Amino acid sequence: MKLVTFSIDPSAEAAPRVGVVDADAGEVRDVTELLPPGAGVLELIGDWAAWESVLAERTPKLVPQPLDSVRLRAPLTPRRNIFCVGKNYREHVAEFGRSGYDQPDRSEALPEYPVVFSKATTSVTGPVDDILAHPGVTAELDYEAELGVIIGTGGRGISREAAFDHVWGYTVVDDVTARDLQRNHKQWLLGKSLDTHCPLGPYAVSADEIDDVTTLQVESWVNGEPRQSAPVKDLIFDIPELIATISAGITLLPGDIIATGTPAGVGIGYDPPKFMITGDVIEVAITGLGRQRNHIV
Ligand code: MG
């Protein structure tokens, strides 16, 4: 099932609606009235065993509306920071090391353990919302197309073998990065967490829709120019390894998102770097999970 959060009128301050999307038909069905007041995609995921059958039965009876007639928002905002993984595709490790941004390491060596950091929830924005350039705060705005794993059943000490039992589904993440802040402050939180620097969606896609997540292609374009393209199977640390590593001592919660890392082709990978500027359009897409299209303003 593809779940969305949307607004009927993009200019309205009205409460967001929850929908189920038929992407092939280009339609969305508004399921908000089926849910408890105030409940959103996060609450559905938290009690999915109950909601999946309710939505499967009742959604088809609802009148669809054209998907392009509504404004899609981030499908969900997790309860806490988004877990992110750095340097998790070989070619990206090399370009990052060469760029000199990986101070003080400046290393093209593959990481021995997953590099885990986080993005503030206030950075989350929608799949077609504007990305703020933050002039005066950063002058080196970069993109990172990534597969986002959405946790369903939480837990601590999750084994590799049991990892996919805890995956609710997937979404598209653009781990937008202020490279100068990432470099200057050593720790990555500031450089990764500026407001609007985490476009999510368009959909939260339940795992049963994806036959083999490792075959999905992660891609990005800037102003229509292809920048990144790699399959999820190229991950250095795969999804079970990431879940086992993070949950070893931290309880994962329903609705947590793990951004699994970005392939080669980010702006700092070029010489000279190709940073995004006001007016640019960044698109990020993953097979079966939809496409984002955000303007830099
Ligand atoms: Mg990243």
Side-chain angles (χ1 to χ4, degrees):
M1 214 173 289
K2 293 184 174 73
L3 304 181
V4 293
T5 300
F6 69 98
S7 304
I8 294 165
D9 176 356
S11 64
E13 296 290 318
R17 316 289 296 178
V18 178
V20 174
V21 163
D22 180 339
D24 294 333
E27 293 173 341
V28 59
R29 286 173 170 83
D30 188 338
V31 299
T32 312
E33 302 304 326
L34 304 180
L35 314 183
V41 170
L42 195 57
E43 284 72 26
L44 293 178
I45 290 171
D47 196 10
W48 190 239
W51 281 110
E52 183 177 23
S53 55
V54 172
L55 293 176
E57 184 195 329
R58 299 186 64 178
T59 301
K61 297 167 187 160
L62 300 171
V63 178
Q65 50 192 314
L67 193 52
D68 60 10
S69 71
V70 304
R71 173 86 171 199
L72 293 181
R73 305 294 183 183
L76 73 159
T77 299
R79 290 184 173 83
R80 57 175 173 184
N81 284 15
I82 294 106
F83 291 96
C84 301
V85 182
K87 302 202 274 188
N88 204 17
Y89 286 83
R90 284 179 177 75
E91 292 299 314
H92 174 64
V93 173
E95 71 177 355
F96 194 56
R98 278 196 307 271
S99 74
Y101 275 73
D102 194 15
Q103 301 287 7
D105 285 2
R106 199 161 185 153
S107 169
E108 293 182 37
L110 298 183
E112 194 176 345
Y113 301 97
V115 176
V116 181
F117 60 96
S118 79
K119 287 174 93 73
T121 54
T122 41
S123 67
V124 170
T125 194
V128 296
D129 288 343
D130 292 336
I131 293 172
L132 300 179
H134 292 278
V137 180
T138 178
E140 299 186 348
L141 194 59
D142 210 343
Y143 50 88
E144 295 191 351
E146 308 197 10
L147 172 73
V149 174
I150 304 170
I151 297 297
T153 306
R156 181 156 62 92
I158 300 167
S159 67
R160 275 190 61 92
E161 294 69 31
F164 280 112
D165 297 340
H166 293 262
V167 173
W168 177 86
Y170 305 96
T171 192
V172 181
V173 181
D174 186 356
D175 177 19
V176 177
T177 303
R179 294 293 179 201
D180 37 9
L181 296 181
Q182 183 186 23
R183 179 191 57 225
N184 294 345
H185 294 269
K186 316 301 182 202
Q187 296 287 327
W188 294 0
L189 182 71
L190 282 183
K192 296 288 190 173
S193 289
L194 301 186
D195 287 1
T196 73
H197 284 194
C198 189
L200 282 184
Y203 319 126
V205 181
S206 57
D208 58 287
E209 290 214 2
I210 307 297
D211 289 335
D212 179 359
V213 68
T214 68
T215 64
L216 305 187
Q217 196 77 9
V218 179
E219 299 179 277
S220 71
W221 300 259
V222 176
N223 303 327
E225 179 187 305
R227 293 290 179 85
Q228 298 178 279
S229 184
V232 171
K233 71 173 167 52
D234 283 2
L235 286 174
I236 297 170
F237 302 103
D238 64 11
I239 292 168
E241 193 67 29
L242 297 176
I243 289 174
T245 298
I246 295 170
S247 76
I250 299 174
T251 300
L252 282 172
L253 303 173
D256 273 345
I257 295 177
I258 303 172
T260 52
T262 203
V266 299
I268 51 158
Y270 293 88
D271 186 15
K274 294 184 177 183
F275 294 120
M276 298 189 292
I277 57 172
T278 295
D280 282 350
V281 177
I282 170 71
E283 291 174 277
V284 174
I286 299 178
T287 325
L289 304 185
R291 173 182 291 251
Q292 307 178 343
R293 190 171 195 275
N294 303 81
H295 287 80
I296 310 297
V297 303

